[in-house]
Each structure stands twice: as structure tokens, then as C-alpha cells.
Amino acid sequence: MTAPIFAQLEQTLHEQMVTATGDDAQADTPLSAARPVRSLGVQRGILVLELLPDALLAVARRLRDHFAFDLFLDVTAVDWLGQTPRFEVVYHFYSSTHHVRVRLKLRVDEAAPDVETLTSLYGSAGYMERECHDMYGIVFRGNADLRPILLYEGFSGHPLRKDYPKQQEQPLVPYRPPQGALVR
């Protein structure tokens, strides 16, 4: 591991896996509901955790409250067209105390591309989740404001999905000047 906090996180996660399975030898057993972390590793100096979708809120809360990951940087998605589950939702956090980043990844199905919102932990998540919803169609349960933020009302589809038709023409929306604006 590249940073002391990574070793501490790895130890804590290993202990939780042992507690959940009741046996140190079974800490590396296949994924189960009691074991929400699918994998743990370091890629390019960033700790990467692959999670079950239902574990997102609890893991993010623990990262913030116990490991000082106080800054939510980004949420995005990767479209793995042809794979099941199709979408990988990716979160990035930063610790201003330890000066390191952590990445959380989780996979969701095309039929129900939804995950829990992080707005209760990080207020800025609302805007980033809106962007991810615009571009990929990921639904963030609990986010009361998933209005388009990059696209306009009436835009059809999600342009960063790999099956989005590049030549598709969008409906024209008449120009509406902002209320109170001077129009000449």
C-alpha cells in the first residue's frame, strides 16, 4: 500500500470480513451479503474498492466518519455494453487529512440502473448525480432533483451510453429568454 491510511483501511476491511464469516480462512470466500466489498487494491496510487450496490451508503459514511475522506470529488459511470451488469458507477473521494484519494466502484443492471444517493453525506453529490443521470441514465434513489443539468428539458436519451445513436436529431426547443432579461 502506498499510504498508511490504505493499510489501516485494508486491515479494517479484512477484520470486517473475518467477523462476517467467522473464520479468517473464509475472509477470501466468494461475495455474499455479509461481505459487501468485492475487491480491494491500489491502482495508480488510488485505493480502489469494488462494492455491492447496497453497501455504498454505509461504506461512504465509514470513509467520511472514520477515515477522514471529507471531500466528495466525482461520480461517473462506465458503460460496459454487452456485459451483465452493464453499468459501473464510479465514485472518487479525497481526504484532506491524509492527502489521498479513494475510488468506489459498483455494478448495476441495465434493467434497473439505480443506486442510493450520497446527498445525505455530501451536499455537493446532488449536482454530480444529476450529471451522471443526464449522461448515463443512472437513477440515484433519494435525490429529489434529477432535472437535467447539462442537457435541456426534452432531450431524448443519454448521450454517453454506447448504444446512443450518434446521428439522432434532438427536438428543437424554442429560445426562451430568462425571466427579467432585457430582450431587444
Side-chain angles (χ1 to χ4, degrees), residues 21-154:
T21 61
D23 180 3
D24 188 35
Q26 290 191 4
D28 295 321
T29 58
L31 187 62
S32 70
R35 196 179 147 215
V37 178
R38 294 178 57 202
S39 70
L40 169 73
V42 176
Q43 296 174 348
R44 296 187 172 112
I46 299 173
L47 180 66
V48 180
L49 303 170
E50 292 185 32
L51 310 173
L52 286 174
D54 293 340
L56 173 66
L57 197 57
V59 170
R61 179 176 286 115
R62 187 154 179 85
L63 285 173
R64 184 194 68 179
D65 296 346
H66 298 283
F67 297 101
F69 284 92
D70 51 349
L71 184 60
F72 178 57
L73 297 174
D74 186 31
V75 59
T76 190
V78 178
D79 183 354
W80 295 103
L81 186 62
Q83 293 184 16
T84 303
R86 177 177 174 177
F87 298 103
E88 183 174 60
V89 185
V90 183
Y91 297 84
H92 294 104
F93 301 88
Y94 182 75
S95 171
S96 59
T97 303
H98 305 291
H99 307 289
V100 293
R101 297 173 189 255
V102 70
R103 177 182 302 138
L104 303 182
K105 295 170 146 186
L106 45 107
R107 299 292 293 259
V108 293
D109 276 333
E110 179 179 10
D114 63 331
V115 295
E116 197 66 38
T117 183
L118 292 184
T119 54
S120 64
L121 300 176
Y122 301 95
S124 63
Y127 293 103
M128 295 178 232
E129 290 172 355
R130 285 174 63 186
E131 179 183 346
C132 191
H133 177 70
D134 267 3
M135 297 292 113
Y136 292 96
I138 307 296
V139 176
F140 294 89
R141 293 185 309 269
N143 186 332
D145 186 13
L146 287 178
R147 291 174 298 145
I149 193 168
L150 297 176
L151 305 174
Y152 56 85
E153 295 284 346

Side-chain angles (χ1 to χ4, degrees), residues 146-166:
L146 287 178
R147 291 174 298 145
I149 193 168
L150 297 176
L151 305 174
Y152 56 85
E153 295 284 346
F155 190 93
S156 178
H158 305 286
L160 291 184
R161 285 188 174 193
K162 290 189 177 171
D163 58 357
Y164 180 80
K166 291 187 293 186

